[in-house]
Amino acid sequence: MTTPRPLVAGNWKMHGRYSSSEEVNALVQMLRERPAQCDVLICPPFTLLMPFSNLIEGYGLSLGGQDCHHQSEGAHTGDISADMLKDAACSYVIVGHSERRKWHRESDKRVSEKAAMAHKEGLCAIICVGESGKQRDSGETLDVIAGQLKKSMPDDSVAHNTVVAYEPIWAIGTGRTPSVEEIGEVHGLIRKHLTGRFGLDGQSFRILYGGSVKPENAAELMSINNVDGALVGGASLKAADFNGIIEAYR
Ligand code: 13P
């Protein structure tokens, strides 16, 4: 069995300006001084991809988009294609984030189509799944996650083109996280699904935890079985905080 190399990914959401280059420069410096035993990724807004691509070259830092369209091109005002992300030096794209599922009504099927398009263009798709607070309270978590995985992951998914991110919706931006046991349970289920569906390769997929990951809780969360890294929102915006999370892999 191959143990996956962990990934710590920052999802900047709708935050950041050109002036945030300072934070990226600071992060590059921190990684240069003290390299980490994990891959590091930032997913800034689309406008910052090109300028950031010049800052990170050669420092083991990767760039990703926060979404892509499920078609390769066409009359889709305001959308961005996987190929355009590739053209802007991205190697990853987040698909199916709960904020996209909620506010843009993205279905599991659509998420799967987006991931398939990302694969076609040579991007690694970070496919997000996660239950709501209500679903957690009514004991539906494992069923919800199993259903999302089944329908949101295209059949061409392999460990090197797909990352699964478990982000309980109620833990996003709230400062609340599931217990170590609860995270271990869901990640165990995800691993079981991956090996059941993709065989031995299922062992090599990275499964990230996301939702209120901070420098203070990163080491504990990252030590849970089948947690192969983090998808970080708020705490990825400042180099010092993000670096504090990466610290879990030094
Ligand atoms: P927070 O780390 O701000 O809770 O956000 C998590 C998230 O949604 C990352 O995609």
Side-chain angles (χ1 to χ4, degrees), residues 18-29:
Y18 183 66
S19 57
S20 317
S21 304
E22 278 177 30
E23 296 298 331
V24 178
N25 281 328
L27 182 64
V28 164
Q29 193 58 30

Side-chain angles (χ1 to χ4, degrees), residues 9-13 94 97-99 128 167 171-176 210-214 231-236:
N11 173 10
W12 282 25
K13 308 190 180 184
I94 299 168
H97 191 281
S98 57
E99 288 148 17
C128 304
E167 296 206 311
I172 295 176
T174 58
R176 291 165 58 213
S212 297
V213 179
K214 309 267 179 268
L231 181 55
V232 186
S236 69

Side-chain angles (χ1 to χ4, degrees), residues 72 99 115 136 148 168 186 188 203 205 215 250:
S72 54
E99 288 148 17
R136 159 79 48 190
Q148 286 178 334
V186 175
Q203 297 285 3
F205 280 70
R250 285 197 178 102

Side-chain angles (χ1 to χ4, degrees), residues 172-204:
I172 295 176
T174 58
R176 291 165 58 213
T177 59
S179 68
V180 165
E181 293 71 31
E182 287 167 336
I183 294 175
E185 185 183 35
V186 175
H187 280 241
L189 169 103
I190 296 173
R191 181 69 70 204
K192 210 168 139 207
H193 175 92
L194 294 173
T195 49
R197 184 164 164 197
F198 303 107
L200 210 57
D201 192 45
Q203 297 285 3
S204 307

Side-chain angles (χ1 to χ4, degrees), residues 9 25 48 62 69 88 90 109 125 173 177 185 198 202 213 226 244-245:
N25 281 328
L48 298 177
S62 300
H69 200 273
C90 289
K109 181 170 174 281
T177 59
E185 185 183 35
F198 303 107
V213 179
N226 289 310
I245 291 167

